[in-house]
Amino acid sequence: PEASTPTAVVSVSQYACQRRTTTENNNKTFTDAFEVLAERYELNEIEGPCLAFRRAASVLKSLPWAVRSLGATQDLPCLGEHTKSVMEEILQNGRSFEVERILSDERFQTLKLFTSVFGVGPKTADKWYRRGLRSFNDVLADSSIQLNRMQQSGFLHYEDISRAVSKAEARALRNIIDKAVHAITPDAVLALTGGFRRGKEFGHDVDFIVTTPEPGEEETLIPKVINRLTKQGILLYTEYQASTFDMSKLPCHRFEAMDHFAKCFLILRLEGSQVEGGLHIAEGDSRGWRAVRVDLVAPPMDRYAFALLGWTGSRQFERDLRRYARMERQMLLDNHALYDKTKKELLAATTEKDIFAHLGLEYIEPWQRNA
Ligand code: CTP
Ligand code: MN
Ligand code: MN
Ligand code: MN
């Protein structure tokens, strides 16, 4: 209906950190198409257009109305020629032929399949594809392929970990981690982060920040948690990375995808009896448990707000926070710190609100960061 098209258009910022984006997406047909295009460019390592489609999708996700004509998009940022031609196609035909061509492309399908395995990135997927492999059976039957430990558990638990994790399952895992950290140190701090903190109903994993007020103690927290979970017999896979964080090396001028805090990537065994309403598993599956991916990160307490902001996401929201800091404020933001290049000093923060305030940004709640 026409009523959903705004009459007085409030200007939409090019930065996701100046938009409020809930999990309600009024433009899913467009954003799903853009995601396919972005993935195609990503798998071919063509960064510019990949980012352009992700940015465009993010702008459309923030709109409280559905786009019904190309004219309605004329005041929106980040929509280029290519993006608009795809939208036009969808508006006219209900679908995009370019997207359909990509979805039916053998290389795209195979790379998507291979990268859906925990531990398999675009490089490995491409190597397998060029070797002529097209299915999991092909990969597993090829004796010249040496799967690493992560990929082995990726295949072993494929069905479970490619299945979405529910909110109830995330809550059950929170209870397990909460018991573990508090048994180790009574004043431990635990926060749910990632997509579930943003209010998502389902996720691909569950992300937690764990720390303690005692400086230095956070570095041994994760190994102790791992120990405890091992004794409970619920640890199916562990990848632990010790801290390489060094306060004296801040700020970090080049952007790194990974922060330097102690962290681990786990696969846990979750019992159905611990989940209110039961497990989110296939109908007819009577095992009574499922495997779930869990990430833990342990920053020192004085870095807590930065780590929380960085791990809450979404990825697009994080990208734009950093870009905004750099371009509009001459500041450097990452998961460790915020550095003011003009004042040449690191800015302190104990809450996320402090960080938004330093950046001169209106506070955006976690559930409004689904950019
Ligand atoms: N992140 C990070 N460093 C990593 C891994 C993740 O800073 N080594 C951040 C990402 O930028 C992301 C957040 O942590 O914003 C959560 O990552 P992830 O679990 O991959 O995504 P979610 O947003 O939680 O989505 P999903 O529901 O699919 O898990
Ligand atoms: Mn997550
Ligand atoms: Mn994660
Ligand atoms: Mn660094």
Side-chain angles (χ1 to χ4, degrees):
E2 279 308 303
S4 68
T5 307
T7 41
V9 177
V10 183
S11 115
V12 175
S13 171
Q14 63 151 313
Y15 296 106
C17 55
Q18 290 186 305
R19 304 190 294 254
R20 294 173 201 275
T21 313
T22 64
T23 52
E24 185 189 312
N25 179 359
N26 297 299
N27 292 285
K28 199 165 179 301
T29 353
F30 302 114
T31 61
D32 283 353
F34 293 175
E35 186 50 35
V36 172
L37 290 153
E39 276 172 354
R40 188 258 313 260
Y41 286 117
E42 190 166 52
L43 290 171
N44 294 330
E45 290 175 284
I46 305 169
E47 221 175 305
C50 169
L51 204 57
F53 277 109
R54 293 245 157 90
R55 271 196 195 143
S58 178
V59 166
L60 296 190
K61 281 181 192 173
S62 77
L63 302 177
W65 45 278
V67 171
R68 294 222 162 73
S69 74
L70 220 46
T73 68
Q74 68 174 18
D75 294 322
L76 297 177
C78 312
L79 303 181
E81 288 287 302
H82 194 176
T83 326
K84 287 198 175 172
S85 75
V86 173
M87 291 184 77
E88 191 164 27
E89 248 193 308
I90 295 174
L91 285 165
Q92 278 173 11
N93 311 307
R95 55 202 192 135
S96 154
F97 297 112
E98 188 179 4
V99 168
E100 293 197 340
R101 214 176 319 115
I102 295 167
L103 288 175
S104 61
D105 178 70
E106 188 182 31
R107 180 166 181 273
F108 182 84
Q109 285 177 357
T110 312
L111 296 187
K112 282 295 290 173
L113 178 72
F114 290 166
T115 55
S116 74
V117 179
F118 178 53
V120 179
K123 293 241 155 60
T124 306
D126 190 54
K127 196 174 77 190
W128 291 351
Y129 181 80
R130 282 186 285 108
R131 206 179 278 211
L133 310 177
R134 296 292 179 269
S135 68
F136 289 165
N137 279 338
D138 290 350
V139 173
L140 297 170
D142 190 325
S143 58
S144 66
I145 286 179
Q146 279 281 0
L147 297 177
N148 64 31
R149 216 170 49 88
M150 199 182 231
Q151 294 160 348
Q152 283 172 27
S153 37
F155 277 110
L156 187 61
H157 302 293
Y158 184 78
E159 287 228 357
D160 274 0
I161 59 186
S162 53
R163 195 170 188 95
V165 183
S166 72
K167 225 182 217 178
E169 289 170 334
R171 269 195 298 270
L173 285 159
R174 193 204 162 97
N175 290 339
I176 292 167
I177 304 297
D178 191 72
K179 280 210 188 87
V181 291
H182 284 102
I184 292 156
T185 163
D187 53 6
V189 174
L190 171 69
L192 176 67
T193 176
F196 285 108
R197 183 163 183 252
R198 301 197 308 274
K200 278 175 56 175
E201 289 295 324
F202 292 97
H204 95 281
D205 68 357
V206 193
D207 308 283
F208 296 100
I209 297 186
V210 294
T211 188
T212 120
E214 189 62 48
E217 209 184 302
E218 80 284 346
E219 286 203 32
T220 58
L221 197 49
I222 289 180
K224 286 174 181 164
V225 170
I226 289 172
N227 239 317
R228 210 184 134 87
L229 300 176
T230 306
K231 282 188 188 133
Q232 291 175 4
I234 60 170
L235 206 52
L236 301 174
Y237 175 82
T238 320
E239 174 89 17
Y240 173 64
Q241 292 178 358
S243 168
T244 54
F245 176 65
D246 182 348
M247 198 61 198
S248 69
K249 294 216 174 94
L250 290 180
C252 222
H253 284 266
R254 97 200 140 84
F255 174 71
E256 294 158 293
M258 283 276 185
D259 60 52
H260 293 253
F261 302 131
K263 61 175 70 66
C264 64
F265 310 105
L266 309 174
I267 299 176
L268 291 189
R269 178 188 162 108
L270 181 61
E271 298 296 329
S273 57
Q274 292 174 297
V275 182
E276 206 187 302
L279 290 169
H280 184 243
I281 49 175
E283 221 167 307
D285 185 337
S286 57
R287 282 172 307 158
W289 67 276
R290 67 165 288 184
V292 187
R293 278 268 303 110
V294 172
D295 290 339
L296 304 181
V297 58
M301 199 57 162
D302 67 334
R303 303 292 101 203
Y304 177 80
F306 299 100
L308 182 62
L309 181 60
W311 277 77
T312 298
S314 69
R315 256 170 232 281
Q316 199 57 38
F317 190 87
E318 303 297 330
R319 271 191 204 117
D320 278 4
L321 263 179
R322 293 188 292 259
R323 189 164 64 95
Y324 180 87
R326 202 174 60 243
M327 305 300 284
E328 306 295 328
R329 303 288 176 205
Q330 287 72 52
M331 292 182 187
L332 296 174
L333 174 71
D334 62 18
N335 288 5
H336 315 103
L338 178 61
Y339 179 72
D340 186 324
K341 292 203 278 184
T342 315
K343 291 186 187 158
K344 293 192 170 58
E345 63 182 24
L346 288 167
L347 305 176
T350 53
T351 65
E352 290 179 316
K353 284 193 173 123
D354 294 341
I355 304 171
F356 281 89
H358 283 313
L359 290 167
L361 284 170
E362 269 179 50
Y363 182 65
I364 308 285
E365 298 284 356
W367 57 89
Q368 300 170 328
R369 299 181 202 162
N370 289 287

